[in-house]
Amino acid sequence: MALSPEEFYDHALAAADGERRLPLARMTSWDISPFEQDGLRVSPLRPPVLPETARHGEDPADCRNCRDRDEGIWFNDRWRLARVPGVGVPLVLMLYPRDHHDMADLPDELAAELGLLTTRIVRHMQALPHVSRAHVYRIGDGAAHLHVWFFARPEGQAQLYGSWLVVWDDLLPEYPADVADADAATVAGALIGSHGGRRDPA
């Protein structure tokens, strides 16, 4: 059985200093880290708060992603794909089920299609000129409606490797929207060819 919230907190505090600050992560010494270790410090570890704050959309009637079920660059009857604006990397896409599901309650048919869609979206993003890799993330702490992130890593930017990519994305200046729109349209067209679907929600 997993540690209780209090046990987990006590376990973590055993490694912290008198201000409840844990040592810097090993990742900060990697040459791909966006931060230099000198002067960097960890925020104090806060005690657990229970019950946890409800995520957005726990009630489907209040779910923004359900209201936006007809917004995006690609659709079929079960899924929609949208471009996330205002990012620093070449392209960030988000895949959502059109109906209200989270990962744990996704019906088997949609779960199987999620696997195919994920593979095909990655394949089409990586086929774009000057994109070396497409990273895939599912987190789920902020919203109860399943949303899967796809981040394009720019070619030649070895410092943006791996799990630091999302942090670099937040630090970089906004990528040109017209270029990202054109690349998103290319991915949507390729997805229609490989998986079916359409560019409009109807």
Side-chain angles (χ1 to χ4, degrees):
M1 184 190 327
L3 297 177
S4 71
E6 294 78 12
E7 290 169 334
F8 181 89
Y9 182 64
D10 290 343
H11 170 75
L13 280 187
D17 66 15
E19 294 182 321
R20 302 189 325 275
R21 297 180 193 275
L22 293 163
L24 288 177
R26 293 180 299 278
M27 294 169 60
T28 59
S29 68
W30 296 355
D31 64 358
I32 59 173
S33 172
F35 307 109
E36 295 179 351
Q37 284 189 312
D38 186 37
L40 191 65
R41 65 180 188 166
V42 178
S43 297
L45 186 64
R46 296 189 293 265
V49 176
L50 297 170
E52 293 188 1
T53 303
R55 298 176 298 169
H56 171 78
E58 292 286 4
D59 180 352
D62 298 326
C63 178
R64 173 179 59 249
N65 295 322
C66 287
R67 287 194 303 272
D68 293 344
R69 63 178 280 126
D70 294 336
E71 301 294 323
I73 61 169
W74 173 90
F75 302 86
N76 69 15
D77 293 341
R78 298 164 299 283
W79 298 92
R80 70 181 178 98
L81 184 67
R83 183 175 87 76
V84 178
V87 298
V89 297
L91 186 62
V92 177
L93 301 177
M94 187 89 78
L95 181 66
Y96 309 84
R98 294 183 75 192
D99 293 332
H100 193 81
H101 297 288
D102 201 354
M103 181 72 84
D105 65 24
L106 200 62
D108 287 351
E109 179 183 352
L110 270 69
E113 189 176 20
L114 174 60
L116 287 171
L117 279 168
T118 298
T119 300
R120 290 169 176 164
I121 293 166
V122 166
R123 185 179 298 146
H124 301 321
M125 288 178 76
Q126 290 183 179
L128 294 168
H130 310 303
V131 170
S132 283
R133 208 84 61 232
H135 293 198
V136 182
Y137 304 91
R138 182 270 173 176
I139 302 166
D141 279 335
H145 192 124
L146 175 62
H147 50 292
V148 180
W149 299 82
F150 297 82
F151 278 73
R153 180 177 64 74
E155 183 180 29
Q157 291 293 330
Q159 199 173 3
L160 276 59
Y161 275 12
S163 50
W164 281 116
L165 179 64
V166 293
V167 179
W168 279 108
D169 171 69
D170 202 42
L171 296 168
L172 291 164
E174 184 174 344
Y175 194 81
D178 58 337
V179 179
D181 282 337
D183 283 343
T186 298
V187 171
L191 192 56
I192 290 169
S194 67
H195 196 83
R198 54 200 177 270
R199 292 182 188 271
D200 60 73

